[in-house]
Amino acid sequence: MGIIIRIMNDKPKITLSEVALAADVSPITVSRALRNPAKVSAEARARIERAIHELGYVPNPAARALASGRTDVIGVIIPSVSNNVFADVMRGIYEGLEGSSLGVQLGTTRYSPLTEEQLIRVFLSQRPAGLIVAGHDQSPAARALLGAAVCPVVQIMEVGPPPIDLSVGLSHFHGARAGVEHLLAQGYRAPAFLGAQMDPRSQRRLAGFRDGLAAAGLGGDPVVTTPEPSSVSLGCRLLADLLARRPQTDAVLCNNDDLAIGVLFEAQRRNIRVGPQLGICGFNDHEMMSAAEPALTSVATDRLSMGRQAVHMVRDRLTGAGAPRGHALDLGFRLMPRASTAREG
Amino acid sequence: MGIIIRIMNDKPKITLSEVALAADVSPITVSRALRNPAKVSAEARARIERAIHELGYVPNPAARALASGRTDVIGVIIPSVSNNVFADVMRGIYEGLEGSSLGVQLGTTRYSPLTEEQLIRVFLSQRPAGLIVAGHDQSPAARALLGAAVCPVVQIMEVGPPPIDLSVGLSHFHGARAGVEHLLAQGYRAPAFLGAQMDPRSQRRLAGFRDGLAAAGLGGDPVVTTPEPSSVSLGCRLLADLLARRPQTDAVLCNNDDLAIGVLFEAQRRNIRVGPQLGICGFNDHEMMSAAEPALTSVATDRLSMGRQAVHMVRDRLTGAGAPRGHALDLGFRLMPRASTAREG
DNA sequence: TTGACGAATGACAGCGCTGTCATTCATGCT
DNA sequence: AGCATGAATGACAGCGCTGTCATTCGTCAA
């Protein structure tokens, strides 16, 4: 069996030394031509490039990593891939990678701090080019690990306390507060909050909602949440719950757009006039919000740039020109008022 | 600078030999205990495990890869991460990975066959544990590379010609054909097709639509497509286009659910009664289709299992129990008739 | 002219692990 | 008792590349 495998593996696997031989230089020069072309004379470089092309040489990243003690991989640690928000962020991350030779290694914590800590430990042990982690609620041990990391560490999703190293995100608290303030400004008197998958970001949005209510002197705690993952049909159900419990509700701030769409459908089903009778405000401003009928108000966030910027923070550090430790980029949010929160219409 | 880095890197980086020392065995035995515990006596294994735990040893995958000529990484090659369908598939892939020590390396072709070929070449050169590629329209050179690969290769998304090695997917042609047949069976006389981002799968869905029309003796070519990426708002626009060009249209088969939702909203905006006046059928059956008002008919596909199954095909091969070369798994599809294609309602 | 200097290149060793083959030792059979 | 057998373990070398330091050579100021 060893023999069979050996034979099958015997396709022309070109090594650096073979390229060196063909280009009539030493292996180390080829290595340099690849890593740091400026340190190699133009003639040598030309010969090397030709040899690489002719032989179809592809570098072996494992050997590179072993010899140099570094990898060209950015570790990304998020709670879950089944969350639309993180899907958008991942998209941004992959976009940010374009034009670099970097790769990403993805780990999911499933909302467990212990798993997160283990992932951080494992990722760091592989000396990644950088680490991107979601949120800033890491366990003390995890924070210590990240603080001692020799690579750039970017905390994404939120702005808040000073970052361990770098961060890019937005204030979910203020985003939600802007949403509820908008509802109140539009004249709604009894707004409620609908939330699913109550991760730390959602919790802070809820806090922003409560803060906005309190600031307006409104009492009660008109909140319906569930730990279930968010979905459109869940939005339908949550609205049903809410109206059963608190019929006087005249507006809802949804933890995200999926729920808002669900609320819209459920309202249509019940012949509730969205806008005049029931205000709806989502969160994130997914593309479909503006296409809906009526168009749905939402708090726009830029998940795509979040991912992109995080990667670029790492890339900039790699080229030496990066932002200093402690730099936090606030991407902000933008309230997009639409027909779903217009009381006359 | 070398010194500084050296110092910073000097956190207790435990190697296999140190574990071996602590467990009073040779390094090779530790290696075996990790890779193939059955080959190590229970006592030795216990000591080794304790040492690993106490020292906090984390294996170095680069060294492992270099020494063994294999990696624990599955390469995944898809056209784009910005496509909802692939997002679902990726989710399935990550789910399929759970409980294994496998990782994934993702590459995107941006629908370029040349890029795809290069990616395949680069990925294969790293001796991945397996390769998952989207579709079966690879260039001849790419097919040759895949055919000669020493690792399992899974083509996902579609069933069709015999796979290079393994495949899991469904027939987009027949799925779309089932959709149009349903529309015709419901009594719609002038169905049209709306498509965006016309990748090979979309093309085959369109072919299925045309085939279904032809089989019913219906002529014309009521098709509106665009190469733009799909979105809800695009669905709105495409319906507007379609109605302008072909006012007699009484039903639409949408290339995917986003478009169908857009069509629904646009119809609502124009006070067209969805179902009686205009039938709508989507593709994929995203969760929101059943929550919509009216609920939307769709051709259900299981993107999640597709990803999961693909990974498991690789994993099974790794344990020796895998399906033989040529095995193709047809996940099928399921028409989900709902209110949006009920002519009386 | 001479020495100093920097650019270009090379020799060497080793990163941490595993494949291969060799060795040891207890077991069961004739 | 003697031998083959297989389980458990170990020695050795090397995977492909890069960090470090050394060497060569041409250039320029004194």
Side-chain angles (χ1 to χ4, degrees), chain A residues 16 28 31 57 63-64 67 70:
Chain A
L16 206 160
I28 198 68
S31 171
Y57 167 71
R64 198 213 272 309
R70 286 175 288 104

Side-chain angles (χ1 to χ4, degrees), chain A residues 65-121:
Chain A
L66 183 57
S68 69
R70 286 175 288 104
T71 64
D72 285 345
V73 171
I74 296 182
V76 176
I77 298 180
I78 60 177
S80 141
V81 282
S82 349
N83 183 311
N84 284 321
V85 173
F86 291 114
D88 289 339
V89 173
M90 287 310 298
R91 198 174 298 180
I93 287 177
Y94 280 106
E95 287 187 19
L97 251 28
E98 309 237 307
S100 77
S101 59
L102 263 30
V104 347
Q105 176 160 16
L106 183 61
T108 58
T109 67
R110 267 161 292 156
Y111 297 99
S112 147
L114 187 62
T115 309
E116 179 170 47
E117 196 179 311
Q118 289 167 339
L119 275 173
I120 291 174
R121 201 182 303 278

Side-chain angles (χ1 to χ4, degrees), chain B:
Chain B
M1 163 187 154
I3 292 177
I4 294 175
I5 289 185
R6 180 80 67 71
I7 290 174
M8 295 184 71
N9 280 355
D10 270 344
K11 22 171 106 176
K13 183 74 181 158
I14 306 298
T15 69
L16 205 159
S17 333
E18 297 175 275
V19 174
L21 220 58
D24 196 31
V25 291
S26 76
I28 199 68
T29 303
V30 178
S31 170
R32 263 193 290 255
L34 254 30
R35 280 217 141 305
N36 200 344
K39 289 221 175 278
V40 174
S41 68
E43 309 87 72
R45 217 184 316 143
R47 267 177 299 146
I48 290 169
E49 271 160 19
R50 213 162 53 86
I52 286 178
H53 199 80
E54 279 173 5
L55 297 172
Y57 169 71
V58 178
N60 179 331
R64 200 214 267 314
L66 182 57
S68 69
R70 286 176 288 103
T71 63
D72 285 345
V73 171
I74 296 181
V76 176
I77 298 180
I78 60 176
S80 138
V81 282
S82 349
N83 183 311
N84 285 321
V85 173
F86 291 115
D88 289 339
V89 173
M90 287 309 298
R91 198 174 298 180
I93 287 177
Y94 280 105
E95 286 186 18
L97 251 28
E98 309 238 309
S100 77
S101 59
L102 261 31
V104 346
Q105 175 160 17
L106 182 62
T108 58
T109 68
R110 267 161 293 157
Y111 296 98
S112 148
L114 188 62
T115 309
E116 179 170 47
E117 196 179 311
Q118 289 167 338
L119 275 173
I120 291 173
R121 201 181 303 278
V122 170
F123 277 25
L124 282 180
S125 80
Q126 297 166 217
R127 301 214 183 296
L131 215 50
I132 296 176
V133 300
H136 52 57
D137 300 288
Q138 289 79 23
S139 71
R143 294 185 70 81
L145 283 168
L146 293 174
V150 294
C151 66
V153 173
V154 187
Q155 290 166 293
I156 59 170
M157 304 311 292
E158 308 185 57
V159 293
I164 295 175
D165 181 3
L166 300 161
S167 91
V168 48
L170 61 109
S171 166
H172 295 257
F173 180 93
H174 290 106
R177 207 182 135 142
V180 69
E181 277 168 3
H182 168 71
L183 291 176
L184 294 170
Q186 292 295 95
Y188 296 104
R189 303 282 55 175
F193 182 91
L194 254 38
Q197 184 136 37
M198 296 303 288
D199 66 13
R201 268 72 60 195
S202 305
Q203 299 288 1
R204 285 189 257 277
R205 297 205 273 260
L206 173 53
F209 169 79
R210 287 187 166 133
D211 193 60
L213 269 202
L218 293 178
D221 197 31
V223 170
V224 179
T225 65
T226 152
E228 283 177 71
S230 173
S231 70
V232 175
S233 44
L234 187 59
C236 302
R237 268 185 284 145
L238 289 183
L239 179 65
D241 273 22
L242 176 66
L243 293 181
R245 286 205 228 165
R246 200 162 166 283
Q248 74 272 30
T249 301
D250 63 358
V252 286
L253 178 62
C254 298
N255 186 40
N256 63 46
D257 293 334
D258 281 357
L259 296 182
I261 290 280
V263 167
L264 167 64
F265 286 142
E266 185 63 21
Q268 288 177 341
R269 207 164 283 134
R270 292 166 178 246
N271 289 312
I272 296 171
R273 287 168 55 227
V274 168
Q277 268 183 277
L278 181 73
I280 303 180
C281 178
F283 204 101
N284 280 332
D285 198 33
H286 184 281
E287 167 267 332
M288 91 181 116
M289 300 301 271
S290 61
E293 172 56 29
L296 296 179
T297 298
S298 193
V299 177
T301 64
D302 197 346
R303 287 91 61 214
L304 229 64
S305 336
M306 198 145 63
R308 252 190 313 234
Q309 297 279 5
V311 170
H312 277 286
M313 284 177 158
V314 172
R315 290 179 70 172
D316 289 348
R317 272 286 178 79
L318 259 32
T319 65
R325 202 164 237 262
H327 178 72
L329 178 59
D330 187 346
L331 253 28
F333 54 84
R334 213 146 71 87
L335 181 80
M336 309 295 286
R338 302 204 180 90
S340 72
T341 51
R343 297 238 296 162
E344 27 252 55

